[in-house]
Amino acid sequence: MIEVNGTAQPLILANMTTVAAQNFTERVEVAAAAGFDGLGLSLDAWRRITAEELSPREVKAVVNANGLEILELEAVFGFAVPVERTGVAIGGGLVCTSPDDLREFWEVAELFGARHLQAVGSFGRTDLEPDAVERFADLCDQAAQAGLTIALEFVPTTNVPDAATALRIVEAAGRPNAGLCVDSWHHIRGANDLDQLRAVPAGRMTMIQINDGPARPADPDYLVETLHHRTVPGAGDFDLDGFVSAVTAGGASAPVSVEVISDHLAALPAADAAQRCHDGAHAIMTREALT
């Protein structure tokens, strides 16, 4: 566990973090050995694991045997897209989430007791859908039946590009199980406005995602850089101290998810990659707690 504003919170190895494990069991084992408390899981990963490696019951047994939990699920892409666009590819291997996908998310959440599910806006447009708030509220209502909080993640290349926009949607929806996922990558590569982060009420800070990167983009294509060139917290040039200070300024305490998608990590042994991610995040969060 890691202390965030005086409260112990789990440190999570995000689903997309690059750990070159041979299989899911090894990923769980190296995460546990590195000191993580939980894991993130995507629907794509869940389907692959249960089709090729383990039964659902065996997946749960492996996670439990290593003292971990599946704490976060990711992600609903295009939470307000028209129904006819659900199931449509949007690039980078991502697909707009369908009603069938949602039903599967609820099943996985109930199996593992996951805490939150990330949601992302629509790619390829800058304006919000006219019914975006209503659709988000409905998503929260469905998630509540599975015991989940929806963490709305702002991404600069979507129509929810920054924390201010995400907060407006969450507050307008008015659901108790709604909050923000604040990712250092999308913040710094996007609006990079610390005041927006400070404006998020403590009760709406659902999860903190942390990673690092070079001061100047490593690739002009945002998606390419996002999926290949992140770095371990503390190994890049981001002002992570300022980021964590702003996120926690209002008294917020939330789980910390380490999401480092990196070609460099892909070349390392799985155990080494997991340990670097854990230690980097722990150092940043501990340093902030002491200041």
Side-chain angles (χ1 to χ4, degrees), residues 4-203:
V4 182
N5 264 334
T7 300
Q9 294 287 354
L11 190 59
I12 302 167
L13 181 68
N15 174 79
M16 292 189 72
T17 292
T18 307
V19 173
Q22 295 299 307
N23 49 50
F24 180 72
T25 298
E26 184 186 6
R27 184 178 181 87
V28 173
E29 291 172 346
V30 299
F36 283 98
D37 305 295
L39 299 167
L41 186 66
S42 72
L43 213 52
D44 282 347
W46 169 250
R47 290 167 176 166
R48 178 188 56 76
I49 293 162
T50 54
E52 301 175 4
E53 299 179 25
L54 302 166
S55 70
R57 180 175 296 181
E58 289 170 332
V59 173
K60 187 173 183 179
V62 166
V63 172
N64 291 347
N66 283 275
L68 300 183
E69 298 179 78
I70 300 294
L71 294 173
E72 66 182 27
L73 302 179
E74 52 182 270
V76 174
F77 293 104
F79 66 86
V81 299
V83 175
E84 59 269 21
R85 280 199 61 202
T86 61
V88 175
I90 52 180
L94 308 178
V95 176
C96 289
T97 303
S98 71
D100 286 342
D101 294 334
L102 288 180
R103 283 188 284 272
E104 194 168 357
F105 270 129
W106 311 148
E107 293 171 359
V108 175
E110 290 173 357
L111 175 64
F112 291 105
R115 298 186 184 185
H116 53 261
L117 167 63
Q118 293 163 252
V120 178
S122 300
F123 291 83
R125 65 183 295 171
T126 56
D127 61 315
L128 284 174
E129 293 86 352
D131 61 347
V133 171
E134 291 78 9
R135 294 283 298 280
F136 183 75
D138 180 64
L139 177 64
C140 292
D141 290 344
Q142 293 183 60
Q145 300 302 310
L148 285 168
T149 294
I150 297 295
L152 182 55
E153 181 174 12
F154 57 88
V155 177
T157 51
T158 71
N159 60 352
V160 186
D162 53 36
T165 305
L167 182 59
R168 284 197 298 271
I169 294 169
V170 166
E171 295 285 34
R175 296 303 192 265
N177 64 322
L180 271 64
C181 167
V182 178
D183 185 328
S184 57
W185 182 269
H186 298 312
H187 162 71
I188 291 171
R189 284 289 188 256
N192 202 14
D193 183 346
L194 292 176
D195 286 338
Q196 289 192 21
L197 302 186
R198 296 186 188 103
V200 179

Side-chain angles (χ1 to χ4, degrees), residues 227-281:
L227 297 177
H228 295 274
H229 298 294
R230 303 193 199 197
T231 62
V232 169
D237 302 316
F238 287 179
D239 176 18
L240 292 181
D241 289 338
F243 168 80
V244 174
S245 178
V247 167
T248 58
S253 185
V256 178
S257 177
V258 188
E259 187 175 57
V260 183
I261 314 168
S262 161
D263 290 350
H264 174 70
L265 286 187
L268 299 178
D272 190 6
Q275 195 68 62
R276 291 189 188 198
C277 287
H278 173 278
D279 293 352

